Amino acid sequence: MNQIKKLLIIGFVWPEPKSSAAGGRMMQLISIFKQNGFDITFASPALDSDFMVDLASYGVEKKTIELNNASFDSFITELNPDVVLFDRFMIEEQFGWRVSEQCPKAIRLLDTEDLHCLRTARQKAFKENRTFTLQDLLSEEVAKREIASILRCDLSFIISEFEMKVLNDLFKIDASLLHYLPFLVDEMTEDHLLELPRFEERNNFVFIGNFLHEPNWNTVQYLKETIWPLLKKQFSEAVLQVYGAYPSQKVLQLHQPKNGFFIMGRAEDANEIVKQARVVLAPIRFGAGLKGKLLEAMQCGTPSVTTTIGAEAMHADLPWNGFITDDSTEFAKQAASLYQDEKLWLQSQKNGIAIVNECYQKNNYASELISVVTSLLNDAENHRLNNFMGSLLQHHTLKSTKYMAKWIEAKNKN
């Protein structure tokens, strides 16, 4: 790119790469745009947190903004970005109309993180004890909001190939509005394994996940109530360490050292903890997107046992780095055998490296991403002409959202 382009990222929260996969994903995106010469400002209405990344150390300007406040209009007009990236559809709903009004030429990108409507509908079906079907999405309120947001943007980043298929087949979203972008990590070699702790140097089962995320809390409940008693029968010395940011009191109450079940709280360095563990357990029963904890396990050379939802869209047609099962008895049995059988463990570890290199190679996706964004910058007008539904939604939603925001703004002044 000849001249420096300005990118404004509007974050739902400040990035916390050590607390969640979403935080790690955001830092991956920042890294790619930065390496390709973009001047980046990261703005968010969220409160600062003790665990947020120091954006300045990455050469990114930090800006706190307010919801339902015209001060954002002045800020973005002065900044005049070439590209605006919305972090999740809720942020596009809040700020998209202001961006469109103040900087109509700016390219509008949406990072969906995962399809919220898919996660919500699966969670609902699970709680109601019924089988989830894709048709459930059509009556989901969140789906209407999320799909409208995708249509209003010039391009949306979709993290899962399964979700790409849902958007194409069920919601009939044009392929030109979607860009497949999984987690992006460096290549691993077999030599990398030599730097990791060996089978006999590792101990314990581990689960790791941010407890603000409902699927993680549900997973830990399931581990404690169902999986763990079965696993202890198979392997009486088993110890499970559960790590995660923001554990609530109900999470902490599951701590039961006598039974080998330890609630450890926030991990100072998740990578180190997963590297020292022998097996990752992730019996996830609902959710969407890709599971950062399972990719991290592969990078740490740690085999895992998970469910079909956990492994969804994560490994192409390659063998998993451990086992995939939805049956609790089978889950416990396979976890015990993976923990105790070194040959099986080593093969699973190698499977993980193959998946990382085949499915998440940063070099395979970074240049394509920049190429697509550059193409949009050069031909935004034609791209938008071909997205009539997006223009229609932009027109109507802009008006309704705008006047609701103006009403809240006026109310706040009184």
Side-chain angles (χ1 to χ4, degrees):
M1 307 184 85
N2 298 333
Q3 65 184 95
I4 292 176
K5 297 291 183 185
K6 287 186 192 172
L7 166 66
L8 169 64
I9 302 173
I10 310 179
F12 182 67
V13 291
W14 302 107
E16 290 187 25
K18 290 190 174 179
S19 299
S20 70
R25 155 79 160 190
M26 181 51 73
M27 295 314 295
Q28 290 166 7
L29 291 175
I30 286 172
S31 166
I32 289 170
F33 280 107
K34 200 75 192 158
Q35 284 167 11
N36 284 275
F38 279 80
D39 187 17
I40 305 175
T41 302
F42 193 106
S44 177
L47 295 172
D48 285 8
S49 86
D50 294 338
F51 305 102
M52 60 193 267
V53 80
D54 176 15
L55 288 165
S57 68
Y58 290 87
V60 174
E61 188 179 339
K62 175 181 179 286
K63 170 76 178 174
T64 298
I65 52 178
E66 288 185 56
L67 295 168
N68 306 307
N69 194 308
S71 60
F72 178 83
D73 300 350
S74 310
F75 156 67
I76 195 169
T77 303
E78 190 180 334
L79 183 67
N80 193 25
D82 301 284
V83 181
V84 177
L85 172 62
F86 303 104
D87 169 27
R88 291 167 252 210
F89 80 90
M90 302 82 85
I91 284 294
E92 189 279 334
E93 284 182 329
Q94 288 285 349
F95 294 99
W97 67 271
R98 291 185 185 274
V99 171
S100 181
E101 210 168 62
Q102 305 302 323
C103 299
K105 289 187 176 177
I107 299 302
R108 296 185 295 273
L109 307 176
L110 173 65
D111 187 33
T112 56
E113 293 289 355
D114 62 23
L115 275 188
H116 291 64
C117 60
L118 180 61
R119 174 156 35 97
T120 305
R122 279 176 167 165
Q123 184 172 333
K124 205 176 280 183
F126 174 81
K127 295 272 167 81
E128 292 169 5
N129 200 23
R130 59 180 171 80
T131 303
F132 164 80
T133 70
L134 286 176
Q135 292 301 308
D136 293 349
L137 293 173
L138 298 175
S139 56
E140 190 59 55
E141 185 64 30
V142 176
K144 297 176 176 70
R145 292 170 56 198
E146 193 164 22
I147 298 305
S149 183
I150 287 170
L151 286 167
R152 283 193 299 268
C153 289
D154 295 309
L155 193 68
S156 292
F157 301 151
I158 310 301
I159 203 166
S160 151
E161 286 183 312
F162 176 76
E163 292 177 7
M164 286 285 280
K165 189 167 169 51
V166 169
L167 290 167
N168 283 319
D169 297 353
L170 185 70
F171 292 111
K172 312 298 181 194
I173 306 287
D174 193 271
S176 66
L177 300 178
L178 306 173
H179 185 74
Y180 173 59
L181 196 67
F183 290 126
L184 306 171
V185 299
D186 293 323
E187 184 180 4
M188 290 179 72
T189 62
E190 298 246 346
D191 289 346
H192 180 82
L193 290 180
L194 302 175
E195 299 163 21
L196 296 169
R198 298 192 300 276
F199 175 83
E200 65 274 11
E201 294 171 324
R202 296 173 180 241
N203 290 299
N204 305 333
F205 294 96
V206 74
F207 170 83
I208 196 157
N210 185 329
F211 286 109
L212 295 178
H213 192 55
E214 178 69 20
N216 287 334
W217 158 237
N218 181 270
T219 298
V220 173
Q221 274 183 302
Y222 183 44
L223 272 167
K224 180 70 166 66
E225 293 163 13
T226 307
I227 304 282
W228 197 240
L230 293 167
L231 187 44
K232 285 295 266 186
K233 276 184 192 169
Q234 299 265 344
F235 179 39
S236 60
E237 305 110 78
V239 170
L240 172 63
Q241 294 180 323
V242 175
Y243 287 88
Y246 305 106
S248 64
Q249 197 53 43
K250 59 186 181 180
V251 174
L252 297 173
Q253 282 170 354
L254 298 179
H255 186 62
Q256 198 179 22
K258 282 183 183 174
N259 197 30
F261 198 97
F262 292 82
I263 302 293
M264 309 297 290
R266 177 184 284 274
E268 280 302 309
D269 187 334
N271 247 291
E272 273 311 305
I273 281 151
V274 178
K275 276 179 192 172
Q276 300 302 327
R278 195 176 285 180
V279 176
V280 165
L281 301 181
I284 299 161
R285 294 189 285 183
F286 54 84
L290 300 179
K291 312 304 177 288
K293 61 178 70 59
L294 294 173
L295 175 58
E296 181 177 55
M298 295 177 208
Q299 290 178 285
C300 293
T302 312
S304 64
V305 188
T306 190
T307 56
T308 48
I309 290 275
E312 180 179 87
M314 284 207 65
H315 60 118
D317 295 323
L318 297 170
W320 188 249
N321 72 318
F323 293 103
I324 302 167
T325 179
D326 295 323
D327 180 82
S328 56
T329 306
E330 193 64 18
F331 192 101
K333 184 180 162 191
Q334 290 174 340
S337 64
L338 192 54
Y339 193 97
Q340 295 169 300
D341 184 338
E342 184 175 2
K343 191 177 174 189
L344 177 62
W345 189 90
L346 287 168
Q347 183 55 54
S348 298
Q349 192 183 55
K350 285 182 179 173
N351 291 351
I353 288 188
I355 293 168
V356 169
N357 291 339
E358 175 76 23
C359 304
Y360 302 102
Q361 261 292 310
K362 184 160 68 178
N363 294 342
N364 293 348
Y365 296 99
S367 56
E368 190 186 348
L369 165 62
I370 295 302
S371 170
V372 169
V373 172
T374 304
S375 171
L376 278 173
L377 282 164
N378 293 335
D379 198 22
E381 204 174 318
N382 267 334
H383 180 80
R384 287 173 180 172
L385 277 175
N386 291 324
N387 180 18
F388 181 73
M389 286 303 291
S391 304
L392 188 72
L393 284 165
Q394 192 71 256
H395 175 76
H396 288 290
T397 312
L398 192 146
K399 284 186 165 45
S400 60
T401 316
K402 173 180 176 177
Y403 292 116
M404 173 58 84
K406 295 278 189 192
W407 178 78
I408 294 169
E409 192 179 334
K411 194 164 172 279
N412 288 344
K413 281 178 185 171
N414 292 335

